[in-house]
Amino acid sequence: MPCKLLNLCEYETHKLVRIQSVRLGSLKWTFNGVILMFICIMMLWNKEYQEHDYVVSSVTAKVKGVALTSLPDVGDIVWDVVDYSGPSQGKNSFFVVTNVIVTKKQRQGKCPEVPPYGKVCRTDEDCVKGFWNQHSHGVQTGACVKFDVTRKTCEVSAWCPIESKKKPPKPALLASAENFTVLIKNNIRFPNFNFMRRNILPEMTESYLKRCQFNRHTDSSCPIFRLGDIVKEAKENFSEMAVEGGVIGIQIKWDCNLDGFLRNCLPKYSFRRLDEKESNRTLYPGLNFRFARYQTEKDVEERTLFKAFGIRFDVMVFGEAGKFSIIQLIIFIGSTLSYYTLTTVFIDWLIGTSCYSKEARQNYSEKKVESVEDRKQCILCVSFVDENHIRVVKKSHKKSLQEVKPISVHPCKDDTGHLSAMVGVLQKGNNIIDKPSQVLPRANRPAWCLCGCCLPSTHPQEQLCCRQSIGRCITTSSLFEQLVLSRPLLEAVLLYREPLSDLTEGEQRIAALRNCSYRQYISWRIGAPPRESIPVMPSCSVWRIREEYPSQEGELLSQQAVTPLYLFNHSHC
């Protein structure tokens, strides 16, 4: 379509095919009803009519509890929140010590390194003064000293005695930590809705918080948790986990509906273990860190080293809030309208199956599908007098049209104009018995001509005879004279189409009769041509018509001035 400014003022719409069928109509509305039900269920279930916003939150935790432990060579130690909380573990997390290895009275000095971190040696030459690596407890002095009865190791400058225990004690020294409690305070905000909430709900009083404790079945909103219950909810055993430590995740999910009387915004808690205990059983299992308590005795600084094992609790907050939005509702409705095309696809498929007869399928296909051929490949239709069908061929620029193989074959469809002409002939009482006309064969007959009446042409698309086998030319038929060349019949046809046309003598009248003769031949021999195809007349018929109705001054059209033999739309080819 050429680009014009007027094209902006045009409107295009789709062509519809309406099938009058109770069965198909009922099936269509049944499918549309199912699709509508599905859309409504999905809209209500997923709240597609709402605008959504994600949570922004902050978390603080406060642990309470006291434990008494009896440590070898140390005695009884009372652990309060300052002792077992350890250093900060990062944002939104807290740590509780559950087990410990103690090394007493360490002082700065020289002592043998502990295997396997220290190098086993025999003489001082095996040790390098000043050497250390990431596994060393100190810096080598260059001396090889006795470690135990059977082994010697390189001496190091370090905190002596060096920590020698590797495995934590079983059972855990602070196993009673499972009875500790933690108060988790979670403040959230949904910025788009300017909505704020915290997990300590407005209806909770101070007396309630002093006595409540989280229980999934009896009190699922209480923000105070017993550590043993948290580990149990994560499907772990606190006594086993307390030996080497681990990581537990506390998940708080806010799924909020901010629509009027349906408003609901409460936290939901869930728990799971985050570290992989099974795969890490032989590769650095659990969680631990070291800290020391320093003191001075007789002006000498010394320390007690603690290797603490414990459980880190990571608090993770997820949330989404939704509120009704007319824009989101319109977007959802618009996006789901395409689902209704499934009904069309299914019914079209059903019609194409064996549920319908071949005639019904073909009729539906002809009404629904309109084929448009690419004009770069011109499609022609030809008719031979010795065949009772029409051939559809592609235009060739190299091969004679007489020799081009058909791409399809169609039965002849009568044209109403041809039938009208026949009625006119019969009403006038003309004798239609076939008497051969006196048409002499041409001397310069080309090789592709089989009737002997065609003229040569340099254009392959004009090299077409009226026959496929050698025989009599169609121009010798008396019907050709009466239906195609008869002047009274052609004038009657012209007046039928244009009642007020002027048929006075002259070049215009001869041209009108010539073109009408072309159309009469097409109506007679081809009828209604197949869709998107262009009918072509044989050379013998064209030249016989041109001889009967010549150009101005009675001269025949010359071979060089021959127009293409297409009757309709020849300019597109």
Side-chain angles (χ1 to χ4, degrees):
M1 178 182 292
C3 183
K4 297 180 180 179
L5 185 60
L6 292 178
N7 292 342
L8 300 176
C9 300
E10 296 178 353
Y11 172 73
E12 297 178 355
T13 186
H14 296 286
K15 178 181 178 181
L16 298 178
V17 177
R18 179 174 295 171
I19 303 176
Q20 301 292 341
S21 171
V22 175
R23 180 170 57 174
L24 292 181
S26 302
L27 189 62
K28 181 193 75 170
W29 288 113
T30 300
F31 265 85
N32 287 345
V34 172
I35 292 174
L36 179 62
M37 185 182 301
F38 172 78
I39 291 174
C40 293
I41 292 174
M42 293 301 296
M43 180 181 68
L44 297 175
W45 184 268
N46 295 326
K47 298 182 176 65
E48 298 290 351
Y49 54 86
Q50 290 184 334
E51 178 186 1
H52 297 277
D53 189 22
Y54 293 99
V55 69
V56 177
S57 75
S58 65
V59 174
T60 58
K62 187 175 183 180
V63 183
K64 288 186 176 181
V66 179
L68 176 65
T69 62
S70 180
L71 302 179
D73 301 327
V74 176
D76 294 338
I77 297 180
V78 175
W79 298 75
D80 62 12
V81 65
V82 178
D83 299 314
Y84 56 69
S85 291
S88 175
Q89 296 291 312
K91 182 180 179 181
N92 297 347
S93 65
F94 60 94
F95 184 86
V96 175
V97 175
T98 57
N99 208 359
V100 66
I101 296 176
V102 181
T103 304
K104 273 187 68 180
K105 295 184 178 181
Q106 284 187 323
R107 296 183 178 184
Q108 292 277 355
K110 297 178 181 180
C111 53
E113 180 63 285
V114 177
Y117 307 108
K119 181 179 180 182
V120 177
C121 58
R122 294 183 179 180
T123 64
D124 293 346
E125 295 179 355
D126 295 331
C127 301
V128 180
K129 185 176 181 180
F131 174 81
W132 67 275
N133 58 35
Q134 64 269 30
H135 300 295
S136 303
H137 289 96
V139 180
Q140 292 184 13
T141 62
C144 182
V145 297
K146 185 176 181 181
F147 175 73
D148 56 21
V149 177
T150 59
R151 293 177 294 177
K152 288 184 177 181
T153 60
C154 294
E155 186 182 57
V156 294
S157 295
W159 285 92
C160 301
I162 295 173
E163 178 185 82
S164 58
K165 291 184 179 180
K166 298 179 182 178
K167 295 184 178 181
K170 284 188 177 182
L173 297 177
L174 276 79
S176 59
E178 67 176 324
N179 294 316
F180 295 172
T181 60
V182 58
L183 169 63
I184 298 177
K185 293 185 288 183
N186 178 210
N187 296 275
I188 65 163
R189 182 171 181 264
F190 295 103
N192 288 352
F193 306 133
N194 195 26
F195 179 81
M196 300 181 65
R197 178 63 64 92
R198 63 175 185 165
N199 64 332
I200 301 179
L201 304 178
E203 59 269 18
M204 295 180 179
T205 61
E206 184 176 358
S207 59
Y208 168 79
L209 292 175
K210 286 182 178 180
R211 57 180 173 80
C212 83
Q213 193 172 100
F214 176 85
N215 185 286
R216 184 166 301 280
H217 303 290
T218 60
D219 197 351
S220 59
S221 299
C222 181
I224 299 176
F225 304 84
R226 178 175 171 271
L227 299 188
D229 294 337
I230 294 177
V231 176
K232 184 178 180 181
E233 286 280 343
K235 296 181 174 55
E236 297 291 336
N237 186 288
F238 190 93
S239 299
E240 295 178 359
M241 192 174 182
V243 175
E244 294 179 332
V247 183
I248 293 291
I250 302 175
Q251 297 174 325
I252 306 177
K253 184 177 180 181
W254 295 84
D255 189 6
C256 298
N257 186 353
L258 305 183
D259 286 337
F261 64 92
L262 296 175
R263 182 180 293 252
N264 179 35
C265 193
L266 296 175
K268 294 181 180 179
Y269 301 96
S270 60
F271 313 90
R272 57 169 298 180
R273 183 165 184 169
L274 301 181
D275 60 320
E276 298 181 1
K277 59 176 182 177
E278 298 298 333
S279 61
N280 290 340
R281 185 57 61 186
T282 57
L283 286 173
Y284 310 108
L287 179 65
N288 61 79
F289 67 93
R290 290 177 174 83
F291 68 95
R293 292 178 178 175
Y294 295 86
Q295 63 272 352
T296 302
E297 187 172 335
K298 296 181 180 179
D299 297 330
V300 178
E301 185 182 35
E302 62 180 33
R303 74 179 187 184
T304 301
L305 177 65
F306 295 87
K307 183 179 181 181
F309 299 82
I311 303 174
R312 190 182 75 195
F313 297 88
D314 293 339
V315 184
M316 297 168 287
V317 182
F318 308 91
E320 186 178 11
K323 193 173 185 179
F324 177 79
S325 170
I326 187 64
I327 295 177
Q328 291 298 322
L329 179 61
I330 293 173
I331 291 174
F332 175 75
I333 294 175
S335 64
T336 55
L337 290 178
S338 60
Y339 293 170
Y340 287 100
T341 59
L342 296 175
T343 301
T344 303
V345 172
F346 176 77
I347 294 179
D348 286 349
W349 171 83
L350 188 64
I351 294 176
T353 61
S354 58
C355 296
Y356 282 80
S357 64
K358 182 178 180 181
E359 292 77 10
R361 296 199 301 268
Q362 183 176 358
N363 182 48
Y364 175 73
S365 178
E366 291 178 354
K367 297 293 184 181
K368 181 177 177 62
V369 180
E370 183 175 355
S371 300
V372 179
E373 298 290 344
D374 187 356
R375 286 301 182 186
K376 292 182 180 179
Q377 292 186 345
C378 189
I379 306 299
L380 311 176
C381 67
V382 298
S383 174
F384 297 105
V385 69
D386 50 354
E387 293 181 353
N388 60 353
H389 54 257
I390 298 173
R391 294 188 179 196
V392 176
V393 300
K394 289 184 179 179
K395 177 184 175 182
S396 174
H397 295 281
K398 297 181 180 180
K399 186 182 293 187
S400 168
L401 188 58
Q402 182 75 16
E403 302 173 356
V404 175
K405 294 183 179 180
I407 57 177
S408 63
V409 176
H410 300 265
C412 296
K413 293 184 179 180
D414 292 332
D415 186 87
T416 56
H418 170 245
L419 293 177
S420 299
M422 285 294 298
V423 171
V425 172
L426 293 174
Q427 286 178 346
K428 290 184 178 181
N430 294 335
N431 185 9
I432 59 173
I433 299 175
D434 189 10
K435 294 180 180 180
S437 178
Q438 296 299 322
V439 179
L440 298 177
R442 302 183 187 274
N444 55 346
R445 179 176 65 87
W448 47 267
C449 177
L450 300 175
C451 68
C453 298
C454 300
L455 287 180
S457 175
T458 58
H459 301 287
Q461 63 269 25
E462 294 182 355
Q463 298 173 2
L464 178 66
C465 183
C466 65
R467 302 185 61 89
Q468 266 290 299
S469 58
I470 297 175
R472 179 181 161 193
C473 181
I474 192 173
T475 59
T476 63
S477 169
S478 62
L479 273 179
F480 186 88
E481 295 285 341
Q482 297 177 19
L483 293 179
V484 179
L485 299 180
S486 173
R487 180 174 293 223
L489 177 62
L490 296 179
E491 290 177 347
V493 172
L494 288 175
L495 286 174
Y496 177 79
R497 292 176 179 170
E498 298 181 15
L500 301 179
S501 62
D502 185 8
L503 296 179
T504 57
E505 292 292 338
E507 175 62 23
Q508 291 184 351
R509 181 181 182 184
I510 296 298
L513 291 172
R514 187 168 55 245
N515 290 333
C516 184
S517 183
Y518 290 152
R519 292 182 181 273
Q520 281 296 103
Y521 182 88
I522 293 296
S523 298
W524 176 37
R525 294 303 309 154
I526 296 179
R531 183 176 296 178
E532 300 300 328
S533 64
I534 301 173
V536 183
M537 291 178 61
S539 174
C540 53
S541 300
V542 171
W543 283 106
R544 180 69 185 88
I545 294 172
R546 289 177 180 178
E547 288 173 352
E548 186 73 20
Y549 301 103
S551 63
Q552 192 176 10
E553 298 178 356
E555 297 180 358
L556 293 174
L557 297 172
S558 65
Q559 182 69 23
Q560 289 76 16
V562 171
T563 57
L565 303 185
Y566 318 131
L567 185 59
F568 308 112
N569 300 328
H570 61 269
S571 61
H572 293 290
C573 294

